[in-house]
Amino acid sequence: MKLTPEEKKQREIAKWEKEKAKDKAPGYMAYFLLIICIVYIGDEVVTQLGGQMQSIIASQLFAPIVGAEFAVARLSALSTLTMAASALAFLYKPLCDKFGRRPFLVLNTLGMGVGTILISLATNIPVYLIGAAFTAFFTPHDMQAIYIQECAPPKYRASIYSTIKAFATLGMFMIPVLRSIFIPGTDLSGWRYVYLVPGIITVAAAVAAFFLIKESDAFVETRLRQLRMTDEEIAAAKEKKNDAQAQGGLIKSLKLCFRNKQLRWLVISYGFIMWGMVVTMYYESTLTHGYAKQFLAQGMDMEAAKAAATTFVTQALMLFSLGSALFQFFPGFLADKLGRKKTAIIMSASVLGTFLLYFIGANNNWNPYVVGFFCGACIGSYWYTGDLMGLMISESTPTNLRASMLAVQPMVSGTIYSVAMGAVMVLINILGDASIGICTVATIVPGMLVGLIMMMLKVKETNGVDMGSVSAD
């Protein structure tokens, strides 16, 4: 028998009341944080795998078809096809504002693991792209970050988040360790295991989250409040355009994004700061081509020189996770003490300064461990800047629209960022892989500068905001 809308509502109320009444097991917070950290490690490793294995994937799957000189450029060009999966992900993410955080934490983690395993099985470009599309769909959501943001005390929110994020970032040490085990010297044939091992671990984390993690308390309270609104309250909320009482959704969040001055300028300025993302796409190739110069000077061809540089790059990546973790850990305390905006300026300057250090170092054959530390510091500085902007967006959005707004933000900001990505893509496909470093620095400087100026002039500080009482005004 088909249920009436009222019966469906009462059934959902009973479901969330039952969830609310559940007692947390002794030590719940300890294993909750442990599982969230493992999920975060899986997310970080899967996110960075493509970057840290870029030249190897290009060599193994693309170079035999397009040649070594343009392998990374063609890989990047074809990888834009996976952007369709990312676009679909933005439509999927707002569902967690209706159905809860927990199901999507589990599903996203499982999807990341399965996509990574698919890549490990790839023997040709189409299968690789299918696996890459799978990971592109499930990695942008960061449901573990929403869990942390909704559970942490406002006074220490950035500190707690940066501590967990830094710990998770250290997990990226797994990638160079696996590279050193399965890709010894110039033999690249074991690259599949570098993907397979993290894939299995991430699937295991999804299973643990399914059985052990409860729904976010902030979501349960907000959802019950929405469901218990009377018809008069719903009508009044609609009349006042009170998004703080509306059910989450992409359209509602998109309207709020452009109507609310704080959110509008946050999302637009983030779009220009995102130009710095170019550095996260090509750092491994920048290192590879930098260290390959010494072998090219000895008369090797490009493919042999890049293979010879693999050992140097693996050594550099050994300290990558340490540099990245440190530059994502300490800024959290700055953000809580100095404020979000000042910290964003400091970290953006760090992106540029550390990029120049690792770019110059790789091209001049500096100690690879030192170069790797600067490379990790650069990438960590960028990701923390992005996380900080995302935190400001969360702190400026009502709870019931928070996940939806974090889905809208990449759509709007990503449109601005696509200008930079498209420009770099065209240039490296014309000039070749060796031009990647110069094209990167020529892009990130103007974009991040414009974004920071906009943020400083137009965006209000959000430090200390009570996320449970954020209004849409």
Side-chain angles (χ1 to χ4, degrees), residues 43-53 165-177 179 277 279-287 312-329 354-355 358 367-384:
D43 182 275
E44 290 293 308
V45 170
V46 171
T47 299
Q48 295 296 327
L49 261 175
Q52 297 198 13
M53 293 289 288
K165 180 69 181 289
F167 180 78
T169 300
L170 285 174
M172 293 190 301
F173 184 66
M174 181 191 306
I175 302 175
V177 168
R179 280 177 56 127
M277 190 183 290
V279 79
T280 72
M281 297 172 62
Y282 298 112
Y283 63 88
E284 192 262 1
S285 292
T286 301
L287 293 173
F312 289 87
V313 175
T314 298
Q315 291 174 352
L317 293 177
M318 287 292 183
L319 287 189
F320 175 93
S321 58
L322 178 61
S324 185
L326 287 175
F327 278 71
Q328 293 184 75
F329 173 68
T354 50
F355 170 80
Y358 89 74
N367 183 293
Y369 295 103
V370 174
V371 171
F373 179 84
F374 286 134
C375 182
C378 175
I379 304 304
S381 296
Y382 171 75
W383 285 124
Y384 186 81

Side-chain angles (χ1 to χ4, degrees), residues 293-307:
K293 279 189 173 182
Q294 59 184 306
F295 300 107
L296 290 171
Q298 296 172 13
M300 290 186 182
D301 61 27
M302 178 61 78
E303 187 169 358
K306 288 165 68 175

